[in-house]
Amino acid sequence: AYTQAGWHPHEVDHIECHATGTPVGDAVEFNSLCQLWDGNASAGTCVLGGVKSNIGHLLTAAGAAATIKTLLALKEGILPPTAGFTAPAAAIAMDTSPFTVLRQAQPWPQSQRPRRAAVSAFGFGGINAHVLLEEYQPATTSVPITAPPPATSECDDKIAIIAMDATLGDCTGLDNLRRHIFSSAAATFTAPQHWYGATASAWYQEEVTTKVRGLYLDRTSVTAGQFRIPPTELKEMLPRQALMLQCAAAALQQANLSDEQRRNAGVFVGTGLDLNATSFSLRWGMAAKVRQWAQQQHSDIDAQQLEQWQNSLQDSITPPLTANRTMGALGSVVASRIAREFKIGGPSFTIASEENSAVSAMHSAISALTRGEISCAIVGAVDMPGDIRAQLSNVKLGRTTAVAEGAGAVVLKTLRQAQQDNDT
């Protein structure tokens, strides 16, 4: 926005950040700002602020909170202090930079040049939002940012699929899936896998009186280094992230996009909640449950035995939560991993809307293409509904249709762009 509008970055008076707040991350962000300012301290001082110290970390709502705080600061003519700030981290050379963090409020008076403030909000899972605000002064003419012209030709309303890939159950790749769909043999449904032996229990036999069958994925494996994901992180992320990466990679290989085309592309992925992400909550709540069960059974086990029992039950559910497992369980990371690996420069986000997720992702992609916001879109959908918890819920609700685990991806352009690029 700075360069498009013709503004030099040091003309911004205030930057309101709502970040993850780790010391290392703060130092990286600060050094990036210093590079943006070209080390030009003679242009005056820019105030850095943070709303997280007032309200906590709100993730996707962070940008709204920071924007409200900035608008109030403009209205009242006051640059607010940052709550709880005493001194910058050791890695941040604040004294020799054009930036400062206020410990007390100071006036922010109007002048001939409109006051400007930048808002930055980001958090886990590739959540990023940035906006540059300028106060309105009737006598001042700002340099407008020219938006791409809306699509007007008839061809721009037509969308071309230039590549695709899919995985469904044990049918990996488009050719295998095509043969499966058009073969005369009926679909081979199998019993659920990885259900921890539940189907053999007396409880299951009493609760589930209908057969639960479908097209299940046996496993999803990614070779170490295939997508530049560290082995420890690869081991701890949920399978749907790896599956969507593989599917998108196959489709993009067919599309053969240039570096320039990727910079002007977007990623739109539809997916739902992976119930494995709820296992962490189950693990945390196990401590209270173990004590409750011990009391109900009138058990006289001591505290050490109780702790051992609790630990064994917790470990059978899921390992302890780590940073890698946090990232590996966030749905928004599904699209972010694709954008990172294939250097996609446009918007990338995940849409969760139950059974409508894939259609919603497709709709968003087509809207962006026809408005001229991007020239290419990678649209994906991934779902692994074979989880025992999901299927037992379906049985209870009387929904006994066969389920299918898999992913699909298409690469889209407007028809005119695809014809111009000689795409398939």
Side-chain angles (χ1 to χ4, degrees), residues 169 260 265 351 354 357 385:
E260 179 62 31
I351 297 174
E354 298 297 336
S357 299

Side-chain angles (χ1 to χ4, degrees), residues 150-309:
T152 54
S153 83
E154 182 182 352
C155 286
D156 284 338
D157 292 330
K158 298 177 181 178
I159 301 298
I161 301 173
I162 66 168
M164 65 174 74
D165 190 72
T167 292
L168 181 65
D170 60 359
C171 294
T172 302
L174 204 58
D175 290 340
N176 288 333
L177 181 60
R178 188 181 290 114
R179 282 193 292 268
H180 176 82
I181 291 174
F182 293 109
S183 68
S184 57
T188 304
F189 294 127
T190 60
Q193 303 178 45
H194 312 302
W195 275 22
Y196 319 104
T199 55
S201 69
W203 167 83
Y204 182 88
Q205 303 299 328
E206 293 176 3
E207 291 286 322
V208 182
T209 56
T210 57
K211 286 187 176 180
V212 179
R213 305 181 70 80
L215 299 173
Y216 296 91
L217 276 167
D218 183 24
R219 61 177 56 85
T220 301
S221 59
V222 175
T223 306
Q226 183 178 356
F227 296 116
R228 297 183 298 161
I229 301 173
T232 52
E233 185 177 342
L234 192 64
K235 182 177 64 175
E236 295 179 340
M237 72 184 192
L238 295 183
R240 69 175 57 203
Q241 293 190 11
L243 182 61
M244 192 68 254
L245 261 174
Q246 291 171 321
C247 202
L252 283 167
Q253 186 175 14
Q254 296 175 35
N256 195 28
L257 302 178
S258 66
D259 291 343
E260 179 62 31
Q261 288 173 323
R262 294 186 185 196
R263 280 193 290 271
N264 198 31
V267 181
F268 307 81
V269 177
T271 187
L273 172 66
D274 192 321
L275 288 175
N276 281 312
T278 68
S279 298
F280 302 122
S281 295
L282 185 60
R283 178 187 172 95
W284 297 330
M286 189 57 64
K289 287 291 185 183
V290 165
R291 289 191 294 271
Q292 177 184 337
W293 294 333
Q295 291 173 358
Q296 290 174 349
Q297 299 297 323
H298 304 289
S299 174
D300 58 354
I301 60 176
D302 58 31
Q304 184 177 1
Q305 292 172 319
L306 195 67
E307 183 179 1
Q308 290 174 346
W309 184 27

